[in-house]
Amino acid sequence: MIWRALFGRLCISVVTLFVVSVLIFIGTNLLPGDVAQILLGQMATPDSLAALQAKLGMDQAAHVRYFMWLRDVATGDLGFSKAGLGAGNATPIVQIIEPRIFNTLQLTSMVAVIAIPVALFLGLLAAMHPGTRLDRTITFSTLNLISVPDFLVATFLVLVFAVYLGWLPSIAYLRGDETGWGLIRALAMPTLTLMIIVSAQIIRMTRATVLNVMSSPYVEMAILKGVPRRRIILRHALLNAIGPIVNVIALNLAWLVGGVVIVEQIFAYPGLAKLMIDAVLVRDLPLVQACAMIFCASYVVLIFIADMASILSNPRLRYPK
Amino acid sequence: MKEVKVFQQMYRDGQVTRREFLSVMGALGLSATAAGGFLASSSALAATPNRGGSVISASNLHGPDDTLDPIVCTSTIDYIRQCTSYNGLIQIWDNMSLHPELAEEWSVNSNATEYTFKLRKGVTFHDGSAFSADDVLWSMNRHLGKDSPSSIKAFFAAVVEWKKIDSHTVKLSLSSPDADMPIKLTQFQAKIVKKDTTDFSKGAGTGPYLVEAFQPGVKSVHVRNPNYWRDTGQHLDAIEITAITDPNARLNALLSGDVDMMTVLSAKSIKKVEETDGVEVMSVPAGLYGGICCLKNTAPGKDDDFVMGLRMIQDREKIVRSFLKGHGQVGNDHPISPAYGADHCNELAQRTYDPDKAKWHLNKSGISSAELFVAPVQGGIEETCLLMQQNLAKIGFDLKLKKVPTDGYWGAVWMKEPLNVVTWNMRPTANAMMSIQFGPGGNWNDTFWNNERMGKLLKMSLAETDPAKRHEMHCEMQTLVHNDAGMVIPYHTNVLDAKSTKVHGFSNVPLGQLGGNGWAEFIWKDA
């Protein structure tokens, strides 16, 4: 049963990736100008434009270019960055992307490792003491943080910690040889920004799910039996709430993938998301496609984990009639 | 505060130490911060360059198209890198003066069609090989030919050939006279690379800094070239060059000391920089401008009165005061600002805000509404268009503004829509600027204004070596553009950047950001 669901998901994921690649291709093509025009900019002449377009294969019809790309990708070849080729740096996309993926993973995993335990703890804390001042403080601040867009949080943090206090660098500028403290310092601001936004959601959902379970008949039974509240939550309620919570965590991590786009841009962090933005600006389609595929794939995988978590944790979904 | 001055002088002359200086200031009743400030200004005045240290420079734009190949570079970050890796034949420095670089000296024949360059001996490339005439020929020939991707191809359209006379002499022959050729050779794209280079990412030129790492769209790291051929200081041990695209993030990075200099400061942020300790604004008057293109080959721009109406309605003083915060000059509807020096026409009367005349001209044209495409191609242009819209409404003219993004603007809107906005960077010479934009039939004649007399004057002034006659010709050209072309040029903006007060030694070349981008080997940073 599980295997069938798994296989079904896998097929849907491949289709999703394909559809996304078509959408990205069409979207980027709709933007004014192609890579040759952008590279030459204000100084383009009909001659030089035609020459560069031919050199970069931009003189072929859009659908032809798409299928050529698809064929290459199917054989595992991401190709060359067109902007790079135009500027005389023939670097394979794989080489460009590799360090960027590492940087983005470094950032997101740091966020996940810190944000998830903290958020779970605060969520549970709020659920254990519903209606108290503690609960209301947590709820009030998380609701506020959910409502504030991430770029505003980022700007605010920079103002406080970098410009006024001067404790942290305002940009996450990596030299590439940072270790330990230096790395933590460089990553502190973007991590903090993402953490605030991701954990706010998880805190809310953890609290809601646990409280939801707390109002179910078996918990009522446990209360009547005289089981201490702490034990009810940790032993009975939390275990039953784990499915939905994992679901929320996975969804939020997927959201994190989108959040890094803004945060990397604001902190000039050399990650995959910033690479994608730069690539869109010069209409470097193969590079945009490659980045988008990676983002999409990670999103699909996380959503898949979220689904699996809810299926596995719920016997009714596990054994459908 | 006379005592302060005296002690500053003593500190500069090395008669008192830093500690002594500060304690004396304390004795004079100055706070530690104030004393520190005097100390800092003393060391700036001292102008004794400090050797060592490194700087991080943050430009406004970079991406996968960053390049170390001179001929295709088009952005500030590329230009800065060209100046760390390579040298040109001739260099432009303070007050637009020309200095010999890889060409020790040059001479020109009487009608400016033949140049002879004597090349410097004993210069080596980063890989140890010797520099010679072959490298010059190879580098310069890359700008020629139909398929050349060079972004300054137009400057070399008249080149017949580059010829090697001996190992360290080359001769350039031109099909038409060009007295401006030496200035054109100072362009970043005209840097000299080693013959037969295929991989430019090493940046292995003859320049003052060696490329240690180059990651397009991320950063590059450069370290001092120990075998550099001239003594310009090379004060810094290392230079890191990166970009921070977001303007606020870039400014914050400078304010918090994470970078030492940044390019493109918006007028809005000038105040913030001015009131923050340790950073300062760099503002260099330039020929850079924002303007409105009225295409002359189509309505409404082909009506001369319509264009004149738009010129008369420009409240130039207010634009410079309010939108540029004083860091600019009023424009006179032609591109040649006073920054072009002798070629600027002082005699031409300044056009001023005159709604009555504007109304008269617009009525005469019979046009009562129009649509202008506006993108924020340059700081101040959007505000200028809004102001123009308001002032036109007062005289009963309905100007619709169609806002479009800068992204893709040059391919999709510029030179296509009948009314659009434009920005032009300063060119090294008045002639180069005029011929690019107003040469009849030129590729970038963005108002499609084809004036025969203009074409003649452009050619004649290039061949003219008598300064007075040359000035007269330039005046005539500026007057033609001022009255007849399809351009409205309300203002010139200064080149605006910001830097840490610890960094010194920039030039004032208005041809690019941060004193013309060529600072790498000249600047130093206080310890």
Side-chain angles (χ1 to χ4, degrees):
Chain A
M1 196 54 238
I2 289 289
W3 294 113
R4 232 177 91 187
L6 233 155
F7 181 72
R9 292 279 156 178
L10 207 67
C11 292
I12 295 176
S13 307
V14 173
V15 175
T16 311
L17 281 176
F18 173 74
V19 172
V20 168
S21 78
V22 174
L23 287 178
I24 298 263
F25 190 85
I26 295 176
T28 316
N29 266 304
L30 284 179
L31 292 171
D34 66 16
V35 59
Q37 269 175 352
I38 302 281
L39 285 189
L40 295 171
Q42 200 178 352
M43 299 320 284
T45 66
D47 268 4
S48 59
L49 189 62
L52 190 57
Q53 277 173 333
K55 182 182 169 194
L56 301 180
M58 297 304 292
D59 47 352
Q60 282 153 318
H63 65 275
V64 178
R65 279 185 284 127
Y66 177 75
F67 284 110
M68 276 164 59
W69 173 79
L70 197 63
R71 185 196 63 201
D72 289 347
V73 169
T75 59
D77 177 13
L78 287 175
F80 289 92
S81 150
K82 287 208 191 279
L85 279 180
N89 316 313
T91 324
I93 286 184
V94 180
Q95 263 184 46
I96 302 178
I97 279 185
E98 220 174 338
R100 300 300 194 100
I101 292 183
F102 175 79
N103 285 346
T104 296
L105 277 180
Q106 184 171 271
L107 176 62
T108 45
S109 50
M110 189 143 155
V111 173
V113 166
I114 304 174
I116 294 172
V118 170
L120 284 180
F121 175 75
L122 288 175
L124 278 176
L125 206 62
M128 275 155 102
H129 311 281
T132 58
R133 189 166 294 176
L134 178 74
D135 176 35
R136 273 179 291 162
T137 313
I138 293 176
T139 307
F140 178 77
S141 26
T142 49
L143 274 178
N144 272 311
L145 289 173
I146 289 175
S147 324
V148 182
D150 35 13
F151 59 86
L152 196 63
V153 174
T155 313
F156 183 73
L157 290 177
V158 169
L159 264 183
V160 175
F161 290 106
V163 177
Y164 288 113
L165 296 175
W167 293 350
L168 293 169
S170 66
I171 44 168
Y173 182 73
L174 289 184
R175 283 162 196 279
D177 55 356
E178 289 94 346
T179 45
W181 180 237
L183 186 64
I184 291 172
R185 235 179 87 84
L187 288 179
M189 294 283 255
T191 310
L192 200 59
T193 311
L194 286 170
M195 237 182 76
I196 285 176
I197 288 159
V198 172
S199 39
Q201 293 268 8
I202 302 181
I203 293 171
R204 289 294 299 156
M205 289 306 289
T206 309
R207 180 182 177 278
T209 326
V210 172
L211 280 182
N212 197 21
V213 176
M214 288 298 284
S215 61
S216 57
Y218 70 87
V219 173
E220 205 174 332
M221 180 66 199
I223 295 171
L224 291 176
K225 251 172 51 180
V227 183
R229 193 172 168 84
R230 177 188 297 254
R231 193 177 151 84
I232 293 176
I233 289 185
L234 294 180
R235 186 73 195 264
H236 301 280
L238 185 61
L239 282 181
N240 275 299
I242 261 179
I245 291 176
V246 171
N247 188 314
V248 169
I249 291 176
L251 284 179
N252 268 288
L253 289 183
W255 184 89
L256 186 63
V257 172
V260 292
V261 175
I262 289 154
V263 167
E264 284 187 6
Q265 186 69 1
I266 291 187
F267 292 105
Y269 184 76
L272 192 63
K274 188 169 171 296
L275 177 67
M276 185 159 90
I277 294 177
D278 291 342
V280 172
L281 285 178
V282 289
R283 312 281 186 270
D284 192 342
L285 261 171
L287 193 53
V288 176
Q289 293 275 50
C291 297
M293 287 299 99
I294 293 168
F295 277 118
C296 182
S298 58
Y299 203 89
V300 165
V301 168
L302 286 165
I303 299 278
F304 177 75
I305 292 174
D307 285 356
M308 283 298 133
S310 44
I311 292 178
L312 288 175
S313 67
N314 190 333
R316 268 173 304 187
L317 291 175
R318 213 160 34 189
Y319 303 107
K321 286 193 185 117
Chain B
M1 285 291 114
K2 202 176 151 217
E3 297 88 335
V4 175
K5 286 225 172 88
V6 170
F7 276 102
Q8 274 185 318
Q9 186 60 48
M10 288 172 73
Y11 175 67
R12 281 203 294 279
D13 297 340
Q15 292 168 8
V16 292
T17 64
R18 183 172 182 279
R19 183 183 293 267
E20 285 166 342
F21 179 88
L22 288 175
S23 67
V24 169
M25 290 299 114
L28 283 169
L30 287 165
S31 70
T33 358
F38 282 120
L39 185 65
S41 68
S42 314
S43 49
L45 289 169
T48 332
N50 169 52
R51 192 171 173 87
S54 62
V55 295
I56 300 179
S57 155
S59 291
N60 61 330
L61 213 61
H62 65 168
D65 54 329
D66 285 0
T67 182
L68 291 177
D69 180 358
I71 70 165
V72 293
C73 65
T74 50
S75 69
T76 294
I77 197 161
D78 290 340
Y79 298 157
I80 297 175
R81 286 176 180 146
Q82 307 309 319
C83 297
T84 63
S85 281
Y86 308 104
N87 296 113
L89 289 175
I90 302 168
Q91 181 176 32
I92 207 158
W93 201 240
D94 274 336
N95 305 318
M96 301 284 284
S97 53
L98 294 184
H99 300 269
E101 204 173 354
L102 288 179
E104 239 167 5
E105 54 187 74
W106 64 92
S107 55
V108 59
N109 66 352
S110 59
N111 65 348
T113 52
E114 259 186 27
Y115 285 87
T116 312
F117 299 89
K118 270 195 89 150
L119 305 178
R120 203 171 290 276
K121 288 181 181 145
V123 176
T124 54
F125 286 98
H126 294 174
D127 64 1
S129 56
F131 158 78
S132 77
D134 293 323
D135 303 304
V136 175
L137 258 53
W138 194 79
S139 302
M140 299 317 294
N141 283 332
R142 297 179 72 219
H143 295 279
L144 312 179
K146 193 166 171 286
D147 290 338
S148 162
S150 164
S151 46
I152 55 163
K153 218 157 112 175
F155 283 178
F156 301 114
V159 170
V160 175
E161 82 170 327
W162 285 87
K163 201 172 157 199
K164 179 176 169 179
I165 304 295
D166 61 46
S167 72
H168 284 84
T169 315
V170 291
K171 196 168 176 182
L172 165 68
S173 21
L174 302 168
S175 58
S176 58
D178 188 348
D180 283 346
M181 188 45 86
I183 305 184
K184 290 175 182 169
L185 289 173
T186 65
Q187 295 281 286
F188 308 107
Q189 290 90 343
K191 300 274 181 201
I192 303 299
V193 294
K194 198 183 151 188
K195 189 185 173 206
D196 298 327
T197 304
T198 47
D199 179 10
F200 288 96
S201 66
K202 303 275 177 292
T206 54
Y209 283 81
L210 311 172
V211 176
E212 195 182 68
F214 172 52
Q215 298 163 269
V218 185
K219 64 167 179 187
S220 60
V221 183
H222 309 259
V223 292
R224 190 189 287 126
N225 174 5
N227 305 316
Y228 194 43
W229 54 271
R230 64 173 168 181
D231 180 23
T232 46
Q234 290 178 289
H235 307 291
L236 298 164
D237 294 335
I239 298 170
E240 272 187 51
I241 299 168
T242 186
I244 304 173
T245 326
D246 185 84
N248 293 325
R250 192 161 68 244
L251 179 62
N252 282 331
L254 179 79
L255 296 181
S256 55
D258 295 317
V259 302
D260 300 280
M261 54 197 105
M262 59 164 273
T263 70
V264 189
L265 179 71
S266 77
K268 279 177 284 199
S269 312
I270 291 172
K271 202 163 159 247
K272 180 76 210 165
V273 173
E274 279 173 348
E275 62 195 22
T276 308
D277 288 336
V279 290
E280 62 193 2
V281 175
M282 282 178 77
S283 176
V284 180
L288 175 69
Y289 72 82
I292 295 134
C293 293
C294 312
L295 269 50
K296 291 302 281 181
N297 57 355
T298 176
K302 67 178 172 190
D303 188 302
D304 290 340
D305 282 299
F306 170 79
V307 183
M308 195 52 85
L310 293 195
R311 290 191 185 116
M312 294 287 185
I313 204 71
Q314 302 303 327
D315 193 345
R316 297 157 202 256
E317 298 285 344
K318 183 170 179 181
I319 292 169
V320 172
R321 199 176 57 238
S322 309
F323 308 148
L324 309 181
K325 314 286 178 204
H327 291 266
Q329 293 140 299
V330 292
N332 204 10
D333 299 317
H334 65 76
I336 310 306
S337 74
Y340 282 94
D343 290 339
H344 167 75
C345 185
N346 269 323
E347 299 90 315
L348 185 60
Q350 173 64 46
R351 190 165 279 139
T352 51
Y353 177 53
D354 192 336
D356 293 331
K357 275 193 190 153
K359 191 175 181 179
W360 185 84
H361 280 289
L362 288 170
N363 279 344
K364 197 171 161 227
S365 75
I367 300 165
S368 60
S369 75
E371 187 179 50
L372 168 65
F373 280 69
V374 185
V377 290
Q378 207 241 339
I381 193 73
E382 276 185 309
E383 295 92 331
T384 298
C385 291
L386 282 169
L387 178 70
M388 174 167 75
Q389 184 184 38
Q390 284 169 18
N391 286 338
L392 281 170
K394 283 185 205 155
I395 58 166
F397 187 96
D398 177 27
L399 181 74
K400 294 179 194 72
L401 298 183
K402 179 149 172 100
K403 289 204 176 185
V404 288
T406 325
D407 190 24
Y409 181 84
W410 303 114
V413 179
W414 182 61
M415 293 184 76
K416 294 207 166 62
E417 297 300 337
L419 298 177
N420 62 68
V421 293
V422 73
T423 176
W424 279 93
N425 284 324
M426 187 173 175
R427 289 299 182 274
T429 68
N431 192 289
M433 181 69 240
M434 285 296 209
S435 43
I436 281 183
Q437 211 192 350
F438 299 104
N443 278 319
W444 299 286
N445 189 328
D446 54 5
T447 52
F448 297 90
W449 177 67
N450 292 310
N451 185 299
E452 222 177 293
R453 177 73 189 152
M454 184 75 185
K456 268 192 195 141
L457 283 165
L458 281 170
K459 282 223 171 83
M460 279 156 55
S461 65
L462 263 191
E464 187 55 68
T465 42
D466 175 11
K469 281 189 189 155
R470 186 182 151 110
H471 181 77
E472 208 172 286
M473 290 176 190
H474 274 285
C475 255
E476 190 182 344
M477 286 195 273
Q478 283 160 43
T479 313
L480 274 175
V481 174
H482 171 86
N483 288 323
D484 298 345
M487 278 306 294
V488 182
I489 301 178
Y491 64 87
H492 296 275
T493 59
N494 290 4
V495 178
L496 268 180
D497 305 297
K499 68 173 185 68
S500 153
T501 48
K502 282 184 167 180
V503 197
H504 316 276
F506 291 87
S507 93
N508 64 4
V509 179
L511 295 174
Q513 305 298 135
L514 291 166
N517 300 313
W519 43 263
E521 58 192 294
F522 301 101
I523 66 163
W524 71 92
K525 186 179 176 180
D526 295 338

